[in-house]
Amino acid sequence: MLMEVGLPVDRLTQSAAPRPGVGIVHLGLGAFYRAFGAVYVAEAMAASGGDWGIVGVSLKNPATRDAPTPQNWAYTSVTLAENDESTKVIDVLENVLVAPENPAAVLEAMADPGVRIVSLTVTEKGYCHNPATGVLTVDHPDIAHDLQQEMPRSAPGFLVRALARRRAAGVPPFTVLSCDNLPENGALVRQIVLDFAHLIDPSLAQWLGENGQFPATMVDRITPATTSPDIARVTAVTGLYDSAPVLHEPFRQWVIEDNFVRDMRPDFNAVGVEMVKDVSRFEQMKLRMLNGSHSALAYLGYLAGHETISDTVADPAFAAYVRQLWAEIMPVVRAPQGFDLQVYAQALMERYANPKIRHRTWQIAMDGSQKLPQRLLGSLEANIAAGKPVPGLCLAVAAWMYYVGGIDQTGQPIDVKDPMAEKLRAISDASTTPADKVAALLSLSEIFPTELAENLKAPVTEAAEFLWAQGARQAALQVVA
């Protein structure tokens, strides 16, 4: 492995300092959590101590474990400011498990009495729910399996089966801490867990309802996927070979509802986490303004041939477009006390424009069928209810519809990564005109509520017809004309 970077360097390894006990199991260990939550936990232990070591769990991919295992799961966190770069070794992971290989080991780790928090970054699709309603999808293949089998496949299955073991052993439940970009993510995961538990044991659901805690959170740090050139560059900078570094922007924000089982958590206050009673305004601001505009730029930027978000906003057409988008979104956002949304929007533009952050449009475009309801449809519903035109938001929906058709503006295939990819492509292929495609895709009740779909039909069709005829850049320019 060392020869891959062409340098005779030592490998990064875990510190020789005494190890903390494990206090957290994290489901869905990927670059974002390692660049965000794990960093905060490491800093909180450095500030105030405590046994909060983390066992990470990959629900799908063994590479998540295999890459950092030779270095005992230590890794480099790289902060990419526009004019500066800094590195820090994060040494908080105590083990990494791969759920499909050994689900029993995952359940054992989660049932351990020393574990007080199980956190998640499993993306929208990992909750196995209907994005339009928030209801657990009981006919989802993984959920159907997990309702019948003790060894689960899904995140909800692991949560409930582990919590059942703790109840049987007389151990309090762990706090379930969702770190995914979902509205009211705490309430959502609570409902999914209780629904699942009720289906296997109503008394378990009652116990969880009375004793469990599911704090809401808002998370924010742009974290591009790590590439082979990134690994080589980090090795050159640090002089140590690290097979699993994470690269991220300087900005970070974590807002958590301060509601943990027995108040047991790391000292997050000491490291800048905002512990609050109500996360909803922070969450709405971020989901609508950041995530909504990110998705819109991803679809339009990809269709226009831009590789990254920074490339996209460097194009004056899309810089003007995203400002128009924020002008549509801001009136339907309830800002947290003390936040100026205009200042927030300008800070977002500066973050998007950072050329060091190679956040690829294809990465953000993934799983759009799951993301649209949270990121764009809420803003559309609120504006439509107020009788306000929203050409920028309608173009974003039309761009998603173009993208999931699987062919870009030059006629080249798009590798659409989405749990509904085959269904979306089939619907698009079966429709001849842009208007037909819009009508067919709006009929998907698992994405679009019926009343909203009817209200969107005319404006999204208008946006789609221009997009298909003139292309993404001209469509963006038309919105701001």
Side-chain angles (χ1 to χ4, degrees), residues 140 179 313 340 433:
H140 186 289
C179 302
V313 297
D340 183 323
T433 67

Side-chain angles (χ1 to χ4, degrees), residues 39-84:
V39 175
Y40 274 113
V41 171
E43 291 175 355
M45 283 198 292
S48 304
D51 288 324
W52 295 106
I54 300 170
V55 170
V57 177
S58 171
L59 292 170
K60 299 291 183 184
N61 189 358
T64 304
R65 174 204 54 204
D66 295 345
T69 294
Q71 53 211 48
N72 292 325
W73 311 292
Y75 61 92
T76 309
S77 167
V78 185
T79 302
L80 299 174
E82 187 167 355
N83 298 311
D84 192 20

Side-chain angles (χ1 to χ4, degrees), residues 29-177:
L29 186 69
F32 174 75
Y33 182 76
R34 293 190 301 118
F36 184 78
V39 175
Y40 274 113
V41 171
E43 291 175 355
M45 283 198 292
S48 304
D51 288 324
W52 295 106
I54 300 170
V55 170
V57 177
S58 171
L59 292 170
K60 299 291 183 184
N61 189 358
T64 304
R65 174 204 54 204
D66 295 345
T69 294
Q71 53 211 48
N72 292 325
W73 311 292
Y75 61 92
T76 309
S77 167
V78 185
T79 302
L80 299 174
E82 187 167 355
N83 298 311
D84 192 20
E85 188 172 306
S86 61
T87 64
K88 181 179 182 179
V89 175
I90 306 301
D91 191 8
V92 71
L93 292 173
E94 298 301 319
N95 197 0
V96 179
L97 305 173
V98 179
E101 293 180 1
N102 195 347
V106 176
L107 290 177
E108 183 179 350
M110 296 169 72
D112 187 316
V115 169
R116 287 143 288 166
I117 296 171
V118 172
S119 51
L120 304 89
T121 47
V122 295
T123 76
E124 292 88 347
K125 65 185 177 184
Y127 291 84
C128 305
H129 72 303
N130 183 321
T133 64
V135 174
L136 179 71
T137 306
V138 294
D139 60 353
H140 186 289
D142 289 346
I143 297 299
H145 171 277
D146 292 356
L147 288 171
Q148 299 299 322
Q149 305 294 328
E150 289 289 331
M151 292 295 118
R153 295 174 180 169
S154 70
F158 275 106
L159 290 172
V160 174
R161 295 294 182 182
L163 287 163
R165 290 189 177 199
R166 293 174 77 102
R167 178 186 178 225
V171 175
F174 46 71
T175 296
V176 179
L177 189 68

Side-chain angles (χ1 to χ4, degrees), residues 384 439 442-443 448-461:
I384 289 169
L442 285 175
S443 71
F448 299 97
T450 303
E451 183 177 354
L452 177 62
E454 186 60 34
N455 288 327
L456 288 179
K457 190 171 182 180
V460 173
T461 297

Side-chain angles (χ1 to χ4, degrees), residues 236-292:
V237 168
T238 65
L240 294 171
Y241 177 71
D242 180 354
S243 57
V246 288
L247 291 78
H248 51 78
E249 65 173 336
F251 180 90
R252 66 177 186 176
Q253 185 179 23
W254 199 359
V255 184
I256 304 177
E257 179 187 1
D258 199 359
N259 188 21
F260 288 72
V261 174
R262 300 186 175 185
D263 294 324
M264 300 182 77
R265 57 171 174 78
D267 187 5
F268 287 135
N269 300 85
V271 292
V273 178
E274 297 170 75
M275 306 301 299
V276 302
K277 290 183 178 180
D278 183 6
V279 176
S280 61
R281 293 195 174 212
F282 293 93
E283 169 192 89
Q284 186 187 81
M285 177 181 70
K286 193 253 180 171
L287 275 170
R288 293 187 177 184
M289 292 189 65
L290 188 154
N291 297 121

